[in-house]
Amino acid sequence: MQYSPAASAIRLESLKNLDPVKTFECGQCFRWNAEPDGSYTGVAFGKAARVWVEDGEVYISGGAEDYDSIWRDYFDLSRDYEAILDGLELDGYAAQAAGYGAGIRILRQDGWEALCSFIISQCNNIPRIKRIIETLCSMYGEKISFENRIYYSFPAADRLAGLDADELAPLKCGYRAPFIIEAARAVASGALDLDRLAEAGYDRALSELTALRGVGKKVADCAILYGLHMQDAFPVDVWIKRALEAHYPEGFDPAAFGKAAGLVQQYIYYFIRSADKDKIGFDCNRGV
DNA sequence: AAACAGGCCTAAA
DNA sequence: TTTAGGCCTGTT
């Protein structure tokens, strides 16, 4: 269970406030994978890393430099999730989901990677989404050596912008290929400036993103929440829709949760998607 | 075999 | 403004 890396490691957070399994498996990201020893390896912002739990604390490989430049921000460590949860007024179902998902954090991912990944996700399942993304990275990303294995960065938009959609055939991503290329061209040309959009507000971001072919409200909301870091975004997919219809027949207003709406969405998604796995018998009054 | 999967787009009322 | 099909591919 415990992993002792030869290289240096940095403590990220307590397990209570950052549960790697829940955070990586709640559907917000596609490039972190469980290893046989229970740790996770993955790539973000061009850096490969390993995350593991030891004595109730969560660690990441690498030194202070990577932590300062990448991981502190990526794991959203400057937000106090305990305080956010204390301030939330959750009713029965949402409260149960929040109890079950305690430890989930919203990762602050790269905007282009999030946009591209969720274009791929449409009408698709998670194993295939991950397979397509890994193939894309291995074909067009930069090689990264880490712990005697080769990883690949997520390809920059300008790396893909010059490609023809046919060249993505090995991805077997079907009709999504031209969407990927067109989005890459928009970002690479500067016509779509994701850094600026992140500062521009939700309405502007939504209208510019949905102007892309293959990007509707759901995909745009995912890009906005995970890639542009607007934590009040509330992506509604078929699962969330079903859960809300079943438990809030009179309607459901994410705005009631303000800046925590995205987190509440993540709790509900993780809760409903885990239904057949291990949450049978889960008692929200006892916590996790 | 046929339906479905973390949607989106277009055509037709 | 809402609704039905079709879309690549893989899995059940």
Side-chain angles (χ1 to χ4, degrees):
Chain A
M1 184 62 190
Q2 293 189 357
Y3 179 80
S4 304
S8 55
I10 296 279
R11 176 188 170 279
L12 289 175
E13 244 296 359
S14 65
L15 175 60
K16 178 176 186 295
N17 290 320
L18 165 54
D19 188 312
V21 177
K22 296 177 187 175
T23 297
F24 293 143
E25 306 283 1
C26 70
Q28 62 178 323
C29 59
F30 301 103
R31 301 211 64 206
W32 290 92
N33 297 299
E35 300 289 347
D37 67 357
S39 67
Y40 275 80
T41 56
V43 179
F45 291 98
K47 200 83 188 179
R50 182 182 294 266
V51 173
W52 69 97
V53 179
E54 208 172 312
D55 298 327
E57 302 291 331
V58 182
Y59 296 88
I60 190 163
S61 58
E65 196 176 322
D66 291 343
Y67 176 80
D68 288 335
S69 62
I70 298 175
W71 304 124
R72 176 163 42 208
D73 193 49
Y74 182 73
F75 287 97
D76 200 19
L77 296 179
S78 59
R79 282 179 97 204
D80 184 346
Y81 278 60
E82 281 190 284
I84 292 169
L85 286 174
D86 286 345
L88 277 178
E89 301 264 335
L90 296 176
D91 64 359
Y93 181 72
Q96 194 182 4
Y100 183 74
I104 289 176
R105 299 182 84 85
I106 305 288
L107 298 170
R108 297 171 67 87
Q109 303 179 57
D110 174 72
W112 159 243
E113 178 174 338
L115 173 60
C116 189
S117 296
F118 282 94
I119 286 174
I120 291 168
S121 81
Q122 67 185 248
C123 200
N124 217 334
N125 56 67
I126 288 175
R128 183 154 84 111
I129 296 166
K130 294 180 79 164
R131 198 160 57 236
I132 291 170
I133 290 173
E134 287 317 305
T135 306
L136 177 68
C137 294
S138 66
M139 288 178 70
Y140 299 107
E142 304 286 333
K143 272 189 183 176
I144 303 167
S145 287
F146 177 68
E147 294 181 350
N148 298 317
R149 278 165 35 187
I150 301 296
Y151 294 77
Y152 294 90
S153 66
F154 195 91
D158 52 14
R159 179 72 183 86
L160 304 182
L163 299 176
D164 189 278
D166 295 344
E167 295 178 78
L168 295 186
L171 305 189
K172 300 180 185 297
C173 66
Y175 60 83
R176 303 162 191 83
F179 301 160
I180 294 171
I181 299 300
E182 287 172 32
R185 288 175 181 164
V187 170
S189 71
L192 182 67
D193 185 337
L194 295 173
D195 292 330
R196 185 181 52 73
L197 269 197
E199 308 298 324
Y202 175 82
D203 292 342
R204 180 67 180 276
L206 182 67
S207 72
E208 287 204 27
L209 288 170
T210 54
L212 295 168
R213 225 157 56 90
V215 178
K217 186 164 192 309
K218 192 273 178 181
V219 169
D221 276 337
C222 287
I224 289 169
L225 175 59
Y226 308 124
L228 302 186
H229 320 130
M230 297 182 199
Q231 312 244 3
D232 49 344
F234 192 92
V236 177
D237 57 46
V238 292
W239 296 95
I240 293 288
K241 188 165 180 288
R242 276 178 217 153
L244 296 184
E245 284 170 352
H247 297 280
Y248 300 91
E250 285 103 56
F252 180 89
D253 181 17
F257 302 117
K259 283 305 219 179
L263 184 60
V264 172
Q265 185 268 1
Q266 212 50 245
Y267 288 143
I268 294 174
Y269 182 78
Y270 183 67
F271 191 56
I272 191 170
R273 291 313 307 269
S274 302
D276 300 325
K277 297 175 188 168
D278 58 356
K279 87 170 191 281
I280 308 300
F282 168 75
D283 181 351
C284 64
N285 295 318
R286 282 204 335 246
V288 177

